[in-house]
Amino acid sequence: MISFENVAYNYGGGELLSEVSLRLAAGSFHFLTGPSGSGKTTFLKLAYAELMPTSGHVTLFDREVRTLTRDDIANSRRRIGVVHQDVQFLDHLPLTANVQLPLTVSGRAGDPRDLTDLLDWVGLGHLADARPPSLSGGERQRAALARAIIMGPDVVLADEPTGNVDWEMSLRLLKLLVELNRMGKTILVATHDLNLIRQAKSQVSARVLRISKRRIQLAGADL
Ligand SMILES: Nc1ncnc2c1ncn2[C@@H]1O[C@H](COP(=O)(O)OP(=O)(O)O)[C@@H](O)[C@H]1O
Ligand SMILES: [Mg+2]
């Protein structure tokens, strides 16, 4: 699905990520962990072609990102649902319109029943008409997840989806991500919450990637 081959990235200062080689195979579940500022969000941006690597190769669905046209990138993005760290909504629009936005932007009309099912699945059916500012942190995260998957992506990248939510809500979000994985989607969750990763290990066979000293390594069982 997504692979990195000897990728390095820097924003213009020193190198932030170096010698990153890994493959997110279809149907896999990965966590990406590492301290704040270590480059988790940057890695995700490389993985959905928001950033181009400084050197090395990122391949999305068997195509090297540098060879992609803007249209190709837009098409690849439809196959990758992203839950951003800084979840943003259009505050004047109801939840339904916000969740449907990716469809609207791409000129597609969704089936209203699918939207209802999706909102029910994330437990927000009763808030369909609510405006984003009235939602709690956990509701916003679930709305962001619904929006990320409305196009039916193959891959879901979630950036600190349980930041700012309590433990019970974290578990609920984790359960949704595990269910998506069981449906066959490839999942990558960036988080610094090691308890969440420990909890996940009893539910799904997940690999844990750790950023340390600019490199990304597979973590052992010693979390
Ligand atoms: N657009 C940018 N320009 C310059 N530096 C940036 C930019 N975005 C992030 N950084 C820096 O890159 C480092 C890694 O950031 P980030 O990928 O957000 O880490 P994490 O998600 O692990 O907290 C930080 O030091 C951050 O300040
Ligand atoms: Mg981050």
Side-chain angles (χ1 to χ4, degrees):
M1 296 265 130
I2 300 179
S3 69
F4 283 60
E5 192 190 321
N6 203 18
V7 168
Y9 190 78
N10 76 69
Y11 283 105
E15 209 152 79
L16 176 63
L17 294 171
S18 308
E19 296 175 26
V20 176
S21 294
L22 58 91
R23 217 167 67 84
L24 302 180
S28 61
F29 196 123
H30 284 85
F31 284 101
L32 174 64
T33 186
S36 177
S38 59
K40 299 182 293 298
T41 297
T42 303
F43 173 86
L44 293 184
K45 287 181 176 170
L46 289 163
Y48 62 90
E50 169 78 22
L51 295 174
M52 291 290 147
T54 311
S55 63
H57 303 282
V58 174
T59 307
L60 301 187
F61 311 111
D62 300 321
R63 297 191 54 193
E64 215 279 341
V65 288
R66 283 199 200 80
T67 68
L68 301 178
T69 63
R70 282 172 64 137
D71 281 353
D72 292 334
I73 289 183
N75 285 329
S76 301
R77 292 251 183 92
R78 278 182 206 144
R79 300 179 63 184
I80 305 177
V82 182
V83 178
H84 296 276
Q85 180 163 12
D86 167 27
V87 173
Q88 305 231 11
F89 296 105
L90 297 175
D91 287 346
H92 61 290
L93 294 178
L95 184 60
T96 43
N98 271 286
V99 168
Q100 282 197 98
L101 205 60
L103 285 173
T104 314
V105 167
S106 68
R108 281 164 51 182
D111 182 334
R113 281 167 306 181
D114 291 347
L115 180 66
T116 305
D117 287 350
L118 178 59
L119 286 181
D120 286 343
W121 180 70
V122 295
L124 296 177
H126 61 297
L127 291 172
D129 299 323
R131 309 284 146 162
S134 69
L135 302 180
S136 70
E139 288 162 351
R140 288 175 75 85
Q141 290 296 343
R142 283 178 284 144
L145 181 60
R147 182 177 58 187
I149 61 175
I150 195 153
M151 303 283 276
D154 301 314
V155 181
V156 176
L157 306 175
D159 198 354
E160 307 272 6
T162 63
N164 302 318
V165 305
D166 62 29
W167 179 240
E168 202 180 316
M169 186 53 65
S170 298
L171 293 180
R172 197 159 165 194
L173 279 156
L174 177 65
K175 187 164 163 276
L176 293 172
L177 291 161
V178 169
E179 277 179 33
L180 286 171
N181 183 243
R182 296 210 173 114
M183 292 173 201
K185 298 192 193 296
T186 307
I187 311 282
L188 182 118
V189 181
T191 181
H192 59 256
D193 187 348
L194 297 184
N195 282 329
L196 188 76
I197 299 176
R198 289 189 195 105
Q199 182 69 32
K201 287 199 148 184
S202 63
Q203 299 177 39
V204 65
S205 134
R207 298 211 304 171
V208 182
L209 304 166
R210 181 161 32 207
I211 306 183
S212 168
K213 298 187 187 124
R214 306 193 307 276
R215 311 293 202 272
I216 297 188
Q217 274 144 359
L218 203 55
D222 57 324
L223 270 177

